[in-house]
Each structure stands twice: as C-alpha cells, then as structure tokens.
C-alpha cells in the first residue's frame, strides 16, 4: 500500500522547487531589455502656484524574462525642486540601481509645488525625468499649468468693492458682503471656493459676465478625479451662495455657479418691479440640494440653465417670479433624485406655510422642463397664480387655465449623455423645441443667449439658441 504520508510532502517540495526554478533571478545584460512606461507624458493639469498638488502616478514595466537594473532615475531640469518623486516606495531626488523583476512593474509617484509666475494666465511648466538603463536613456515628460491666484481668508466686504480679472480668487472659509455694501465682479473673474467655504450677501452683488468672459463661481479642485474626469463634474465642493433677508438689487449676467452643497439660496422679500435677484443668461448647476431655492423672495431668471441637483433643480416658496427662456434639466450623477425638477410651495391654502405672506405668483414661459424624474411638483395648478406658457414638459397632460400652449410629453433632445459625463443642454437637430417659443413672450433680456447668439424672430424654447449640426449622429 502506498504511504501518502510521505509522498504528498515530497510532491509539494518538488512543485515548489519547480516553480521557483522558473523565476529568473539573473540581471539582464542585453541593452535591448529596456523598461516601458504607462505614459510618455504625465499631465498634472492646472495647478495653483505655491500650493502642493494631489499625487499623480505612472507605471514602469519590465516586460522581459530577466531582471532589469535601472542604473539611475533623475530629473534633467528640476533645479528649483518644484517636482517631487517617489519610486517604488522610496522618496528622493534621484535613485540608483532600481531593479524590476521579470514581467513585473513599479510605480512612480509625482507631486509638485509650483512657484508664483507673476502672470494673470496659466504658464506651463515642463520637466523631464530620465531613466538610464545600460547606457540608454528614456524620458518621461511631466507637465503642469501653474496659475497664480489671489488668496482670500474670511473676507468681509463692508464698503463698495470691485473684483477685477487680473487673477482668479481662491476663497477660504467665507466671503461676506455686508448690508449697505456692493460687490461688483468684472467680466472674466473666477472665484474658486475651498472645501466648505461659503459666500453670503447681506448687501448687493453685481456680477457682470459676458459671452466672451463669463464669471465663474466654482470649487478649487481644478485637477482630475481620475483619468480625464475633472473635479468640475463633482458636486459638494463648497457650501454655496446665500442672499439673506437684507439683500436687495442683486444682478448677475453670464455667470456660472456650480459644484455646491446647497446651491443658491435667496431669503428676502422684494417686489416684482425690484426682484431680490435677477439672473440673465446664467448657469446654476451641480448641487447636492437645490441649484436655486427662493423663500418668499422675488426671482427674475431669463435665458438661464438651472440643472443637475439631487433634491430638485429649483425650489420656490412664495414670492413673485418671472422665469423666461430657461432650461430646467436634471441628470444629477451622484444619487437618486429627491423630487421634481421644479418644486413649488405656498401657492395656495393646501401648501400654506403659515407665514401670513401672499401666495406665490409665477410666470414661466418659453422654457423647457425635462430630465430624469418628474418635471413639476404640482400637476394641478387650478386656482393659483402660477402659469406656464409655451413650455415643453416631460409629463403627459393637456392645457388648461394655468398651462397654456404647452408641448406635453416631448423629449427636447439635448446633447447630454449622462453615462459619458456630457452635460450639454443645447438642442439637437430634430428637437421639437426648435422654433416653438412665442416671440411676444420673449423678454428684452432674452434677446441673446449664453453664447451671445440672437434668438431672432422665431425663437427656440429654453436657454439656448439652436445651432444646426452637420452630419449629426442619431
């Protein structure tokens, strides 16, 4: 009888010896056995100067059957030490005799702190990291765009102030405009808000963007989340913009406000002739709550895109509102939607909030309400002073005294492709919204769209003027 007690351990030893003998421990002496790299150029993207970057990395491969020895890894041109590297877990300025086993790889990690360049525009910094193996040099190029910024901590604006477009502003903690003061923002200004930073307006905000030089309010992560997906797609990077009950006469044109926790909140009481906030050709998008919320406030929004928010894109509680040539779209990425795109409250006795204030008056015209989820929280507006005129809605329905000349159950055919991270709410060639607006309802402020395109005598529904696309794929 065979005694497996002794045979099985012997077989195990034999197998381990055989496997071990397959691993080649010899260092290659062949100069053609060279490392390869996951990238030829490591692009670190836009970086604020004098601030350390997130860590970037690339991989160095040995695709040969013997160990390769990289005799030296070093920068050609990093005298100022702006770039820092870690090779296979070891940090340093240069590395000698780095071995990579057969068919294996190592990681190289790169960080940078770029010096100020005294320029208003980004300046590209390029460095060359050499890998020398048996006398042959291979180089990985490392690039970053250094942008100088005006850093602001806990700013309080207590007198009339102007932000000019010489350099972007990086806001830490808070930016507060006190009652009685006006902050004017020039065309082309960008305000980058740090994590949890907030902007509060007790006084007045005037933001003067143009089609050529829009104003931007956004988070200060300007690199990529992963690969080619930018942080610009990520909500919740900063708190948001709040207009308090003492704020009046706020005016914003060609201004983008995005990537917030709770969007733009307006909490004041104005009049229809003097709304608390006027938005002309603005983009409010990508919020963890609402993109725009108005509580007993008066809002005038013309030519605006209000989009992509977890709770709903716009919330109106009481107040007097004019919404003309707007696109309300919700394809929010990061959670299930919490409600309809447009949510209304304090419009009648049923939704009374016990404030004692008048019920809402709202005129929504020449607009599009379409996206994932439902379009409007109240399908029956009978008896209210909320009216939708010449609007495209996702819902199936029919006109009545509150819904006038609407397009029901129609897809506006945006260019948006959510799973490819494309959020473009312009209209495709076959969109039913093309030419469907009513010229007499196009307000003077809606004469041109975000891009500066004229609406003409046969305007389109929504925020954007349709531009024919050649050879458009279905």
């Amino acid at each position: 009888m065979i005694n497996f007690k002794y045979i099985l351990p012997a077989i195990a030893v034999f197998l381990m010896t055989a496997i071990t003998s397959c691993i080649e421990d010899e260092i290659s002496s062949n100069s053609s056995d060279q490392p390869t790299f996951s990238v030829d150029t490591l692009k670190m993207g836009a970086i604020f100067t004098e601030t350390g970057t997130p860590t970037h990395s690339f991989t160095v491969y040995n695709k040969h059957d013997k160990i390769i020895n990289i005799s030296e890894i070093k920068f050609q041109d990093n005298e100022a030490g702006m770039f820092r590297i870690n090779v296979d877990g070891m940090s340093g300025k240069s590395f000698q005799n780095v071995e990579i086993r057969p068919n294996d790889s190592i990681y190289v990690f790169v960080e940078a702190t770029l010096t100020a360049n005294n320029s208003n525009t980004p300046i590209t910094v390029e460095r060359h990291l050499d890998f020398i193996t048996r006398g042959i040099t291979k180089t990985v190029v490392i690039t970053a765009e250094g942008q100088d910024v005006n850093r602001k901590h806990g700013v309080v604006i207590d007198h009339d102030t102007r932000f000019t477009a010489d350099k972007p502003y990086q806001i830490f903690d808070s930016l507060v405009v006190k009652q009685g003061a006006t902050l004017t923002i020039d065309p082309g200004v960008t305000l980058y808000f740090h994590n949890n930073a907030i902007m509060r307006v007790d006084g007045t905000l005037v933001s003067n963007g143009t089609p050529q030089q829009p104003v931007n309010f956004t988070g200060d992560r300007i690199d990529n989340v992963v690969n080619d997906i930018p942080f610009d797609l990520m909500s919740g990077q900063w708190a948001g913009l709040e207009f308090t009950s003492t704020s009046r006469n706020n005016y914003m044109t060609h201004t983008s406000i995005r990537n917030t926790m709770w969007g733009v909140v307006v909490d004041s009481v104005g009049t229809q002739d003097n709304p608390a906030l006027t938005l002309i050709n603005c983009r409010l998008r990508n919020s963890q709550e609402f993109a725009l919320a108005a509580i007993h406030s008066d809002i005038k929004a013309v030519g605006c895109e209000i989009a992509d928010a977890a709770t709903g894109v716009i919330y109106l509680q009481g107040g007097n509102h004019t919404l003309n040539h707007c696109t309300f779209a919700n394809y929010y990425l990061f959670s299930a939607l919490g409600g309809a795109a447009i949510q209304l409250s304090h419009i009648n006795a049923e939704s009374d909030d016990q404030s004692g204030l008048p019920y809402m008056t709202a005129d929504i015209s020449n607009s599009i309400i379409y996206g994932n989820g439902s379009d409007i929280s109240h399908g029956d507006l009978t008896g209210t002073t909320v009216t939708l005129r010449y609007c495209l809605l996702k819902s199936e329905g029919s006109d009545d005294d509150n819904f006038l000349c609407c397009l029901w159950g129609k897809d506006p055919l945006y260019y948006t492709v959510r799973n490819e991270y494309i959020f473009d709410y312009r209209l495709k060639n076959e969109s039913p919204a093309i030419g469907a607006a009513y010229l007499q309802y196009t307000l003077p402020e809606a004469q041109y769209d975000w891009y500066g395109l004229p609406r003409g005598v046969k305007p389109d529904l929504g925020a954007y003027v349709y531009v024919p696309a050649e050879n458009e794929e279905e």
Side-chain angles (χ1 to χ4, degrees):
M1 183 175 70
I2 298 174
N3 189 339
F4 290 96
K5 177 180 179 181
Y6 299 104
I7 291 178
L8 290 177
I11 292 174
V13 171
F14 172 79
L15 290 174
M16 289 298 295
T17 302
I19 292 171
T20 303
S21 65
C22 293
I23 298 176
E24 178 60 71
D25 288 326
E26 182 180 353
I27 296 176
S28 173
S29 59
N30 188 341
S31 60
S32 65
D33 289 351
Q34 293 289 322
T36 57
F37 306 90
S38 59
V39 295
D40 295 321
T41 301
L42 180 67
K43 297 179 180 180
M44 301 182 72
I47 296 170
F48 292 140
T49 59
E50 301 180 323
T51 300
T53 69
T55 301
H56 296 251
S57 67
F58 62 92
T59 308
V60 186
Y61 299 98
N62 175 11
K63 296 183 178 181
H64 308 286
D65 294 329
K66 294 183 179 181
I67 296 171
I68 60 173
N69 179 279
I70 303 174
S71 58
E72 190 167 19
I73 301 173
K74 64 178 182 179
F75 278 105
Q76 293 179 19
D77 44 12
N78 190 37
E79 295 82 2
M82 290 190 287
F83 291 85
R84 302 175 296 279
I85 56 173
N86 178 299
V87 175
D88 201 24
M90 299 293 292
S91 297
K93 296 182 178 180
S94 63
F95 303 84
Q96 289 75 38
N97 298 317
V98 177
E99 294 184 353
I100 309 178
R101 295 183 65 78
N103 301 301
D104 203 349
S105 61
I106 61 172
Y107 288 101
V108 176
F109 299 96
V110 184
E111 296 175 343
T113 302
L114 304 186
T115 57
N117 52 48
N118 298 315
S119 172
N120 297 341
T121 58
I123 291 180
T124 299
V125 179
E126 181 176 294
R127 294 293 182 265
H128 303 81
L129 185 61
D130 289 342
F131 294 76
I132 303 171
T133 307
R134 301 198 63 80
I136 297 174
T137 299
K138 292 195 170 185
T139 301
V140 173
V141 179
I142 301 174
T143 67
E145 293 183 0
Q147 172 67 67
D148 287 357
V149 293
N150 293 305
R151 292 181 172 84
K152 302 289 185 181
H153 294 261
V155 178
V156 175
I157 305 295
D158 57 9
H159 60 280
D160 292 354
T161 301
R162 181 179 297 274
F163 280 3
T164 59
D166 55 343
K167 296 176 186 176
Y169 297 80
Q170 187 179 21
I171 308 299
F172 295 86
D173 308 318
S174 60
L175 171 58
V176 177
V177 182
K178 300 295 287 184
Q179 185 175 0
T182 297
L183 173 61
T184 301
I185 300 179
D186 282 354
V189 168
T190 295
L191 286 83
Y192 291 108
F193 290 85
H194 196 59
N195 184 40
N196 294 321
I198 183 174
M199 182 171 180
R200 192 181 80 233
V201 181
D202 303 320
T204 299
L205 175 64
V206 177
S207 178
N208 291 320
T210 68
Q212 297 76 27
Q213 293 183 295
V215 171
N216 289 282
F217 292 63
T218 187
D220 67 355
R221 293 297 302 271
I222 57 177
D223 54 318
N224 289 340
V225 181
V226 62
N227 298 330
D228 294 325
I229 301 173
F231 267 98
D232 199 49
L233 291 174
M234 304 293 290
S235 65
Q237 294 186 47
W238 61 290
L241 173 58
E242 177 185 7
F243 297 90
T244 68
S245 60
T246 61
S247 182
R248 292 290 188 275
N249 303 321
N250 299 287
Y251 181 88
M252 309 183 80
T253 182
H254 289 92
T255 299
S256 172
I257 304 170
R258 59 191 187 271
N259 308 331
T260 62
M261 295 178 186
W262 39 256
V264 177
V265 174
V266 190
D267 185 3
S268 62
V269 182
T271 68
Q272 189 68 10
D273 295 331
N274 184 19
L277 176 61
T278 297
L279 301 165
I280 308 297
N281 291 331
C282 290
R283 288 174 167 173
L284 281 57
R285 58 162 63 173
N286 210 15
S287 170
Q288 289 181 339
E289 295 187 14
F290 293 102
L292 173 63
I295 299 92
H296 294 291
S297 307
D298 297 343
I299 302 295
K300 186 175 186 179
V302 179
C304 293
E305 174 197 309
I306 304 176
D308 303 330
T311 309
V313 297
I314 184 169
Y315 173 80
L316 302 175
Q317 181 179 338
N320 301 303
H321 310 291
T322 299
L323 310 176
N324 181 247
H325 275 289
C326 290
T327 295
F328 303 97
N330 208 354
Y331 291 85
Y332 185 72
L333 270 176
F334 307 107
S335 69
L337 300 181
I342 295 179
Q343 298 183 34
L344 307 177
S345 180
H346 199 67
I347 62 174
N348 53 21
E350 184 180 347
S351 62
D352 194 306
D353 63 7
Q354 307 302 310
S355 65
L357 294 169
Y359 293 139
M360 179 193 302
T361 298
D363 177 33
I364 307 172
S365 57
N366 286 348
S367 294
I368 298 173
I369 311 166
Y370 193 93
N372 292 341
S374 56
D375 43 19
I376 188 167
S377 60
H378 290 68
D380 184 0
L381 297 172
T382 302
T384 72
T385 50
V386 177
T387 304
L388 285 83
R389 301 178 293 169
Y390 287 85
C391 290
L392 183 152
L393 299 107
K394 181 180 180 180
S395 296
E396 299 285 350
S398 59
D399 289 350
D400 58 22
D401 290 341
N402 299 88
F403 293 89
L404 306 175
C405 300
C406 290
L407 294 178
W408 296 91
K410 300 293 185 181
D411 185 340
L413 300 178
Y414 302 133
Y415 280 99
T416 293
V417 184
R418 185 173 182 266
N419 61 358
E420 295 180 12
Y421 310 108
I422 299 170
F423 298 90
D424 185 342
Y425 296 109
R426 289 175 290 178
L427 305 174
K428 290 186 177 180
N429 284 347
E430 302 302 319
S431 172
I434 298 170
Y438 188 47
L439 180 60
Q440 281 70 19
Y441 291 161
T442 297
L443 296 179
E445 298 94 330
Q447 183 178 1
Y448 299 94
D449 75 355
W450 167 273
Y451 296 98
L453 299 174
R455 295 194 190 273
V457 297
K458 195 175 181 182
D460 311 313
L461 297 178
Y464 301 112
V465 172
Y466 162 69
V467 177
E470 296 182 2
N471 302 319
E472 183 178 283
E473 295 183 1
E474 297 296 329

